[in-house]
Amino acid sequence: MKKGVKRAIWAVVIVVIAVFLFLRLTKKTEFAEATADPVVTVEKPHMGDVRLTTQLIGTIEPADVVYIFPKAGGDITAVNIKAGDTVTAGQVLVEIDTKQVDAVRTSMEAAKVSAESAQNVLNRMTAQGDMRIIPPGSGSR
């Protein structure tokens, strides 16, 4: 290259560096605002339990709902559990007074005996009708 072109390139590079340095050195520096030191209290350490509590308002719903059906009907005389208790299979939950059921059972057994008796009478009468028994006084001559 010619000397004039080299000098022009060097001059441009020097001017660019000078402008960069000038802008860098004359730039206003912004300092962060001073903040107050946090207030700290110091306590003497001691042994103890850490307790964390939370108070919430809402509705609790069970994961599973199980409906129970008694084997016998009657009046409930005792409830052996409270709402929310965990129960196991075979555990007695309530006691039922089955006097009413026993009375109905006795009545049903009496009705069954009456029905069997009526069936026996019907069977006898049907057998007599099949033998064609002729009542006295209505015979043929």
Side-chain angles (χ1 to χ4, degrees), residues 122-135:
L122 177 65
N123 289 341
R124 268 186 292 159
M125 292 181 82
T126 305
Q128 288 175 355
D130 288 344
M131 292 190 314
R132 296 181 188 244
I133 298 177
I134 302 172

Side-chain angles (χ1 to χ4, degrees), residues 41-56:
T41 57
V42 178
E43 296 282 334
K44 185 175 181 180
H46 63 281
M47 295 293 290
D49 293 333
V50 176
R51 298 183 76 191
L52 177 64
T53 59
T54 302
Q55 293 181 354
L56 302 172

Side-chain angles (χ1 to χ4, degrees), residues 2 8 57 60 68 78 80 93 98 124:
K2 294 189 177 184
I57 297 175
I60 297 174
I68 59 170
N80 301 327
L93 305 178
T98 57
R124 268 186 292 159

Side-chain angles (χ1 to χ4, degrees), residues 25-40:
L25 294 175
T26 60
K27 179 180 173 188
K28 287 185 178 179
T29 353
E30 294 182 17
F31 294 103
E33 290 184 26
T35 57
D37 291 335
V39 177
V40 177

Side-chain angles (χ1 to χ4, degrees), residues 57-77:
I57 297 175
T59 302
I60 297 174
E61 295 181 5
D64 293 322
V65 175
V66 178
Y67 297 98
I68 59 170
F69 300 98
K71 292 181 180 179
D75 294 330
I76 294 177
T77 58

